[in-house]
Amino acid sequence: MNNVAIELRGITKCFGSVVANSNVNLKVYKGEILSLLGENGSGKTTLMNMISGIYHPDQGHILVNGKEVVINSPHDAFEYKIGMIHQHFKLVDLFSAAENVVLGLDGEGRFKLDEIEKQVLEISNKYGFNIDPKKKIYDMSVSEKQTVEIIKVLYRGADILILDEPTAVLTPQETQKLFDILRRMRADGKAIIIITHKLHEVLELSDKVAVLRRGEYIGTVNTAEATEESLTEMMVGKKVELNINRPEPVNPTERLRVMNIDCKNRDGVKLLDNVSFSVNAGEILGIAGIAGSGQRELLEAIAGLQKLDSGSIIYNNPKTGAEEELRDKSPLQIRELGVRLSFVPEDRLGMGLVGNMGVVDNMMLRSYRRGKSIFLERKGPTELANRIIQELEVVTPSAETPVRRLSGGNVQKVLLGREISSSPTLLMAAYPVRGLDINSSYLIYDLLNEQKKKGVAVIFVGEDLDVLIDLCDKILVIGGGCVSDVIDARSTTKNEIGYLMTNTKKGRRASDE
Amino acid sequence: MNNAEKKPRTKREPLIYITKRSDLSLKKSLLIRAAVILGGILCCAIITMLLTGVNPINVFGSIINGSFGTPGKLWNLLQAAAILLGISVAVTPAFKMRFWNTGAEGQVLIGMLASVACMFYLKDSMPSFVTIIIMLVASTVAGALWAGIPGFFKAIWNTNETLFTLMMNYVAMQLVSFFLLFWDPSHGYLNPLNSDTKNGWLPTLFGRKQLIIILIVAVITALVYVYLKRSKQGYEISVVGESENTARYIGINVKKVVIRTVLISGALCGVMGWLLVSGNSHTVSTTLVGGNGFTAIMVSWMSKFNPIIMVFSSLLVCFLQRGAGQIASDLGTEMPGASNIGDVLTGIMILFVVASEFFVSYDVHFRRRTEKADKEVEKNVHA
């Protein structure tokens, strides 16, 4: 018997004329962790979907334990002991952990839930999970839900585990816990494939790294012989400067002051709880927190899109020196006050842009009201569109092509380009590099820094803590709608931020203010 | 890649699979449409032969005869198409905003009722053109109100507009029945009003009663086209329709736009009601809109909410409807039940037209032979 758990030979997959995977060769041994590395759109997910039976390769062979197999459905994949843990959990909220684990399994008669719970606990103890099989999903944190997903595939006897960006939703501490568990599974002889684009995690966890670039299989290297630089070069195809600039703030003065704001959702749950902070002109304020901790509500409150129950949002107009109250004002009223607020929302195509419209029409979103005529003026927006396409190197067939057809990076350039073009005094960007390739990401960081140098107050909501620490001047950590702390980005560590993300103490004073 | 080591392998992809087309040249898309419509005609021919045993050439002759047989028939076709077009254009602003107004039938009908009421009470008290203007205003307001009620509920309480507007149709019909009985308690029927003085009747141009209707609809179509494509309000409608979140984000007052657009849509339906009364029927009954309010929904959709394409769609639909009528009268004496064959054929044709849209936006693949597929893949990889 050889020790190869799963092998891919010459896998090619095309969608129409688009080649998603071209001649990919992979080998994962038992008791090995392989990282599958590649930028967005490089074909990682397509490849894994072929292993888990969602797509079929056009060419090539899949071998499990040395035997060629045809995997037609996720059910087939389980027969071959392949289990995939998706990025988006597929769990029934109202069921307990144990119920979710057995959901969809064949069996005669009634399930004996006691026994299942016992088995779940056994698996859990074996690998060091920490889970209560009786707990309902709706009571669980993100990391607990992920645990249930992993136990689900282990319960079905999976020997080959595929994890699709498992750390994207976790704090640094939770990530460490997950890595410990994965290491224990490795020791137990499981073959693990982990999809990620976080380089330091790749280096820390895996034994081997396979790199894809635009569907092409670039190669597999031993992690021990790789560095962040060498991996990036493999991913991008050329050397990339991985340093983010952080110019010193020049003459920072307070631009925006948020005081004790509260807001609740329809069920009366507090989304923002007594949030206070201030942003200075010429500085980048980072906002860190687990996804859904109130970041969106906070930005939307400032933009006039979220009703507040109490508190105050004060804007210092640099031109007139006047202090303006923004609370309870509509976006249009805020604009009429002379507040030059630009906002790059998290949902680019669903909020910042109209997917079915071209670049020109999307430029018009901000400017169409100008002038007294009842008809649209298209000349200005067309010029702006062409300028943005040229200056930011937006790849698009034409300025009229619907923006939803553009890649994520180009969509973001269009959106950020439009927001910057109105020369803002306050710029808010929510996850502006999510889903972008490395080059586009660095272009976005440069654009934000440029705004900072122009004296714009920038608020940057990010998920990658390394980037937040390198780019921002201050970092506000938010947890469950409360401000945990505002810290100096130059002297903090990832662990400190991670700790603050989950350990919110009300009434804690910002240490550096 | 080494071809020698490859052995034939069972491909177990689904037999037929469908992918979305990304880009399609205009020429190719027109070709697809033409091919699909040709297929529709062929399908019609086969089905007619199987069902009736009549030579399909004769059936097609009947269809063409029904629309173009005499100048009178041609003018009637144009008028019918104009009315359908007018109503289709009227519902379009709401549709473009993703407000599914299924109440055009009732909005037109209530517009007709308002015009008839004006004629009934004003009689000859004013000069004809003043009566016509009063009728127009009354119908516009009535139509706007009829659409505005569901529009208001939608904007404020987010009620379901499809059901609400649909129900309003029946309220409008009952109102018409009520007024007919109110005005003529014995029969509940109203003859064309002012047939002697023609007060409140639109003028007959060049001896053709239909011409003025066609002209007015042409003006409405052009106006709506410009409004949707070039005006700021039209742009707001598109943004709200595409994404309410984006609209809120750029500071559009969504409620205001919803109510305003629905009022415009309803008002245009009301105008069509006025046009039907003043230009054609000079009376009202519950059936005079004749389902055009519903057919208009289909026409607007088929034309992707573009008023210019609607000109052709409504001509096509009316052409088929007229043809169906002709088949019924040509075959009706020979075989009972033939009256329905026309409707069957219309249905088939419309199905094919809708299907052509599917083939324009999607590509249908069949499971490929391994060798051929391999070659294709090779080509793509090396490209």
Side-chain angles (χ1 to χ4, degrees):
Chain A
M1 276 298 284
N2 65 33
N3 280 326
V4 182
I6 186 162
E7 182 177 359
L8 305 181
R9 276 193 206 150
I11 296 282
T12 298
K13 174 74 186 173
C14 302
F15 294 103
S17 60
V18 179
V19 183
N21 284 138
S22 160
N23 197 13
V24 177
N25 295 296
L26 267 190
K27 242 187 221 177
V28 190
Y29 290 88
K30 286 170 189 162
E32 183 180 79
I33 299 179
L34 176 105
S35 289
L36 188 57
L37 189 65
E39 297 197 88
N40 287 286
S42 59
K44 293 171 299 200
T45 308
T46 307
L47 191 65
M48 289 306 116
N49 279 339
M50 280 188 276
I51 299 179
S52 50
I54 294 167
Y55 295 144
H56 306 75
D58 288 338
Q59 281 184 346
H61 312 270
I62 301 174
L63 289 85
V64 175
N65 291 327
K67 258 184 254 152
E68 179 164 0
V69 296
V70 177
I71 304 169
N72 272 326
S73 67
H75 198 267
D76 274 12
F78 271 126
E79 301 271 301
Y80 296 117
K81 307 201 164 194
I82 300 168
M84 178 137 180
I85 292 113
H86 292 271
Q87 207 174 349
H88 303 283
F89 306 135
K90 295 162 182 0
L91 298 168
V92 180
D93 264 359
L94 287 174
F95 284 5
S96 72
E99 283 166 332
N100 266 290
V101 165
V102 291
L103 197 67
L105 282 182
D106 297 332
E108 298 265 315
R110 288 168 61 94
F111 280 120
K112 293 192 185 78
L113 217 51
D114 290 356
E115 265 174 44
I116 293 160
E117 280 166 9
K118 230 197 270 163
Q119 284 166 326
V120 167
L121 272 180
E122 264 169 37
I123 295 174
S124 160
N125 291 336
K126 184 171 172 191
Y127 296 111
F129 292 108
N130 189 4
I131 192 100
D132 172 7
K134 286 193 163 71
K135 198 168 175 182
K136 303 274 195 224
I137 301 296
Y138 59 76
D139 277 335
M140 290 187 176
S141 72
V142 176
S143 120
E144 282 176 298
K145 287 180 193 171
Q146 190 180 54
T147 306
V148 176
E149 284 281 6
I150 297 173
I151 292 178
K152 201 162 93 181
V153 300
L154 289 174
Y155 184 86
R156 281 152 212 237
D159 285 332
I160 302 161
L161 281 93
I162 305 166
L163 295 100
D164 190 359
E165 301 209 15
T167 61
V169 288
L170 302 181
T171 64
Q173 284 78 4
E174 289 167 336
T175 304
Q176 280 314 319
K177 250 200 231 158
L178 174 70
F179 285 0
D180 286 342
I181 288 167
L182 292 178
R183 286 190 190 105
R184 249 168 258 152
M185 288 186 192
R186 170 172 64 189
D188 193 41
K190 308 259 183 219
I192 297 166
I193 302 177
I194 171 167
I195 302 178
T196 179
H197 51 228
K198 290 184 186 167
L199 293 169
H200 58 92
E201 288 179 357
V202 171
L203 293 172
E204 183 186 337
L205 179 70
S206 58
D207 304 302
K208 279 183 191 160
V209 193
V211 182
L212 296 181
R213 185 201 312 152
R214 287 185 193 152
E216 304 258 345
Y217 170 67
I218 302 302
T220 306
V221 291
N222 289 325
T223 311
E225 296 152 19
T227 61
E228 288 205 12
E229 284 73 23
S230 72
L231 290 177
T232 313
E233 203 179 327
M234 282 176 82
M235 255 162 82
V236 183
K238 58 182 182 197
K239 270 202 174 13
V240 176
E241 197 65 47
L242 283 183
N243 293 322
I244 302 176
N245 266 329
R246 174 163 48 199
E248 283 299 313
V250 182
N251 187 20
T253 51
E254 189 176 73
R255 179 66 44 86
L256 186 81
R257 191 166 70 250
V258 173
M259 289 182 300
N260 313 95
I261 59 173
D262 275 306
C263 90
K264 292 194 190 86
N265 69 4
R266 251 195 281 175
D267 303 328
V269 177
K270 277 199 171 181
L271 300 172
L272 292 175
D273 189 354
N274 197 22
V275 170
S276 301
F277 66 95
S278 68
V279 197
N280 290 336
E283 273 187 4
I284 298 182
L285 173 78
I287 296 184
I290 301 167
S293 304
Q295 296 96 321
R296 203 189 75 213
E297 288 78 12
L298 178 57
L299 295 198
E300 290 189 1
I302 297 170
L305 296 166
Q306 173 74 50
K307 255 188 115 62
L308 293 178
D309 295 319
S310 63
S312 173
I313 301 171
I314 303 291
Y315 170 83
N316 293 316
N317 193 327
K319 265 213 184 111
T320 59
E323 290 199 345
E324 311 278 7
E325 170 66 73
L326 303 188
R327 191 191 150 193
D328 291 337
K329 296 219 163 55
S330 73
L332 205 58
Q333 286 169 323
I334 291 176
R335 209 141 259 261
E336 279 159 3
L337 279 176
V339 179
R340 293 231 291 278
L341 170 74
S342 285
F343 179 23
V344 178
E346 180 181 347
D347 186 359
R348 290 163 210 161
L349 288 175
M351 189 173 208
L353 300 167
V354 177
N356 278 330
M357 290 183 175
V359 181
V360 176
D361 281 25
N362 271 302
M363 291 302 127
M364 245 167 358
L365 282 174
R366 281 285 187 215
S367 63
Y368 80 96
R369 288 191 190 84
R370 259 178 232 153
K372 286 221 168 73
S373 159
I374 61 160
F375 292 109
L376 292 169
E377 191 266 317
R378 292 183 68 88
K379 223 177 116 206
T382 310
E383 276 165 14
L384 177 61
N386 287 328
R387 210 181 74 216
I388 287 174
I389 289 172
Q390 212 171 36
E391 280 175 14
L392 300 185
E393 292 167 0
V394 178
V395 181
T396 170
S398 84
E400 305 290 345
T401 309
V403 291
R404 78 185 145 77
R405 292 228 203 113
L406 310 186
S407 72
N410 287 310
V411 167
Q412 188 64 291
K413 285 182 202 169
V414 171
L415 176 55
L416 193 60
R418 183 191 73 204
E419 290 302 298
I420 288 174
S421 72
S422 57
S423 35
T425 50
L426 175 60
L427 172 64
M428 303 193 289
Y431 308 107
V433 299
R434 182 182 281 173
L436 269 56
D437 59 38
I438 294 180
N439 282 321
S440 304
S441 299
Y442 279 80
L443 178 83
I444 303 289
Y445 303 144
D446 286 345
L447 286 172
L448 292 178
N449 268 326
E450 219 172 84
Q451 294 300 307
K452 169 184 170 180
K453 278 190 251 172
K454 280 186 188 163
V456 178
V458 181
I459 300 178
F460 172 89
V461 180
E463 43 200 345
D464 190 333
L465 297 184
D466 294 292
V467 171
L468 280 165
I469 290 172
D470 285 346
L471 177 72
C472 301
D473 298 294
K474 285 181 196 156
I475 297 172
L476 181 156
V477 188
I478 193 168
C482 305
V483 176
S484 300
D485 209 341
V486 179
I487 46 185
D488 182 6
R490 285 174 178 78
S491 59
T492 187
T493 61
K494 250 183 357 186
N495 277 336
E496 186 188 6
I497 298 177
Y499 178 79
L500 287 169
M501 274 156 80
T502 43
N503 297 277
T504 320
K505 271 193 198 139
K506 263 197 216 174
R508 181 203 287 266
R509 284 297 306 150
S511 55
D512 64 330
E513 274 184 354
Chain B
M1 205 179 185
N2 187 359
N3 270 316
E5 72 173 28
K6 218 177 297 151
K7 53 186 183 209
R9 185 169 57 93
T10 37
K11 295 271 173 190
R12 294 216 229 147
E13 255 166 326
L15 185 62
I16 298 171
Y17 59 101
I18 292 161
T19 52
K20 205 163 166 112
R21 289 182 199 269
S22 49
D23 270 308
L24 197 63
S25 66
L26 187 69
K27 205 173 133 197
K28 208 171 166 194
S29 78
L30 285 178
L31 264 174
I32 291 174
R33 287 198 174 90
V36 171
I37 287 173
L38 214 69
I41 292 172
L42 218 71
C43 181
C44 283
I46 292 167
I47 284 183
T48 335
M49 257 201 328
L50 290 177
L51 287 180
T52 65
V54 180
N55 183 351
I57 306 281
N58 290 347
V59 174
F60 288 123
S62 287
I63 293 181
I64 291 172
N65 188 25
S67 296
F68 304 114
T70 62
K73 280 179 180 166
L74 179 63
W75 279 105
N76 281 338
L77 167 76
L78 291 179
Q79 170 174 295
I83 287 165
L84 180 57
L85 171 63
I87 302 174
S88 309
V89 166
V91 295
T92 300
F95 277 12
K96 200 138 194 217
M97 199 178 61
R98 304 272 203 279
F99 181 99
W100 305 123
N101 177 11
T102 54
E105 188 90 359
Q107 288 148 25
V108 175
L109 195 61
I110 213 77
M112 289 183 83
L113 182 65
S115 273
V116 167
C118 292
M119 282 173 90
F120 187 85
Y121 290 113
L122 291 173
K123 296 212 167 60
D124 290 338
S125 56
M126 310 220 180
S128 185
F129 80 93
V130 179
T131 315
I132 289 177
I133 290 171
I134 294 174
M135 286 160 68
L136 174 60
V137 171
S139 292
T140 311
V141 171
L145 187 75
W146 220 245
I149 295 168
F152 182 79
F153 273 73
K154 166 83 178 181
I156 307 297
W157 292 292
N158 198 24
T159 53
N160 182 310
E161 75 275 16
T162 314
L163 280 175
F164 206 143
T165 48
L166 189 69
M167 291 304 141
M168 292 294 278
N169 288 330
Y170 304 106
V171 180
M173 280 180 205
Q174 295 308 317
L175 263 182
V176 169
S177 299
F178 168 80
F179 273 101
L180 287 174
L181 276 168
F182 180 69
W183 289 327
D184 177 15
S186 49
H187 303 97
Y189 177 77
L190 208 58
N191 276 319
L193 295 160
N194 299 345
S195 11
D196 39 356
T197 58
K198 312 238 149 124
N199 191 305
W201 289 33
L202 283 172
T204 303
L205 300 178
F206 303 105
R208 286 289 171 194
K209 216 181 150 183
Q210 297 95 337
L211 189 57
I212 188 135
I213 293 182
I214 295 168
L215 287 177
I216 291 175
V217 169
V219 171
I220 292 175
T221 307
L223 284 179
V224 170
Y225 179 78
V226 171
Y227 175 76
L228 290 177
K229 277 260 166 175
R230 292 273 167 256
S231 80
K232 289 177 181 173
Q233 293 192 358
Y235 180 74
E236 284 179 343
I237 291 173
S238 304
V239 175
V240 171
E242 291 286 346
S243 157
E244 258 184 52
N245 262 334
T246 310
R248 279 182 346 111
Y249 160 80
I250 57 164
I252 291 177
N253 186 339
V254 175
K255 283 179 187 159
K256 195 178 108 189
V257 174
V258 168
I259 293 176
R260 185 182 70 203
T261 309
V262 173
L263 285 178
I264 289 174
S265 189
L268 286 171
C269 285
V271 171
M272 285 312 296
W274 162 80
L275 196 57
L276 276 170
V277 170
S278 189
N280 187 26
S281 68
H282 318 296
T283 180
V284 65
S285 82
T286 51
T287 54
L288 265 179
V289 188
N292 272 324
F294 294 110
T295 315
I297 298 172
M298 183 185 74
V299 171
S300 183
W301 261 94
M302 258 166 62
S303 317
K304 293 180 176 159
F305 313 133
N306 182 332
I308 304 299
I309 300 177
M310 279 173 218
V311 175
F312 301 101
S313 313
S314 40
L315 268 171
L316 176 73
V317 169
C318 286
F319 166 72
L320 290 170
Q321 280 177 345
R322 306 253 123 192
Q326 189 71 28
I327 293 172
S329 68
D330 287 0
L331 292 178
T333 47
E334 292 164 34
M335 51 185 303
S339 61
N340 294 326
I341 189 77
D343 289 334
V344 171
L345 298 189
T346 316
I348 291 174
M349 278 316 291
I350 288 172
L351 199 65
F352 270 78
V353 170
V354 174
S356 80
E357 289 311 307
F358 172 82
F359 285 105
V360 167
S361 6
Y362 296 94
D363 211 350
V364 178
H365 307 266
F366 293 93
R367 183 165 58 195
R368 291 164 299 181
R369 289 247 175 77
T370 313
E371 277 167 45
K372 204 180 149 205
D374 281 346
K375 260 186 212 151
E376 213 170 283
V377 168
E378 290 288 309
K379 207 182 82 196
N380 281 330
V381 169
H382 292 297

